[in-house]
Amino acid sequence: DPHVARQFSCWRTVPDVEPGLGPLAGLAAALEAADGMSIIAVAWDMPFVSAPLLAELRALGERGAAAVVPVHDAGQVEPLCAWYAPHALAHCRALLAAGERRATALTETMTGVVRVGDRALARFGDPSRLFASVDTPAQLAALGGSLA
């Protein structure tokens, strides 16, 4: 989104290197911008993801994982709310070069991925709310949230 830098002026924003290639390209851009550091990715339409959950993903990742990704409700993978090691960038690039666009392809094909399941996620709230995609004020209100 060309307006994101203005909307989130207090944070560093990174555009996709090549726009239009989907969420996998977004992860690649974030990993590239991190310059050899790990990242935590959170889709901007997930307002209920909590800091304690992100801290847990990071702690698990720093134990040597390639990625740490929540998986809930019998297999719903959340690759856009996950921790990634720096070497995930090479894997992103290979998948993009092969024509892949789905972020889930990264966690499906990369070795060393830690999956955080329902039981562990329950400590942080209801996964259906934690990972809800909220695109309108009405959706936000329906989930009990509000805009300042």
Side-chain angles (χ1 to χ4, degrees), residues 16-127:
D16 290 353
V17 174
E18 190 176 336
L21 296 184
L24 183 61
L27 291 175
L31 285 158
E32 180 77 34
D35 197 26
M37 309 257 320
S38 60
I39 66 164
I40 293 178
V42 181
W44 71 337
D45 62 354
M46 290 182 175
F48 300 111
V49 171
S50 67
L53 171 60
L54 298 177
E56 179 69 8
L57 298 178
R58 179 182 179 187
L60 291 169
E62 290 179 347
R63 294 182 190 151
V68 181
V69 60
V71 180
H72 59 95
D73 298 328
Q76 177 63 43
V77 180
E78 298 293 347
L80 299 180
C81 180
W83 179 94
Y84 294 96
H87 66 273
L89 177 57
H91 205 76
C92 282
R93 287 178 176 157
L95 288 167
L96 287 164
E100 185 61 68
R101 302 294 178 255
R102 300 171 304 122
T104 53
L106 185 58
T107 59
E108 290 169 354
T109 60
M110 195 166 53
T111 60
V113 175
V114 173
R115 290 163 177 81
V116 181
D118 285 320
R119 179 174 283 180
L121 292 172
R123 294 187 354 225
F124 305 101
D126 177 3

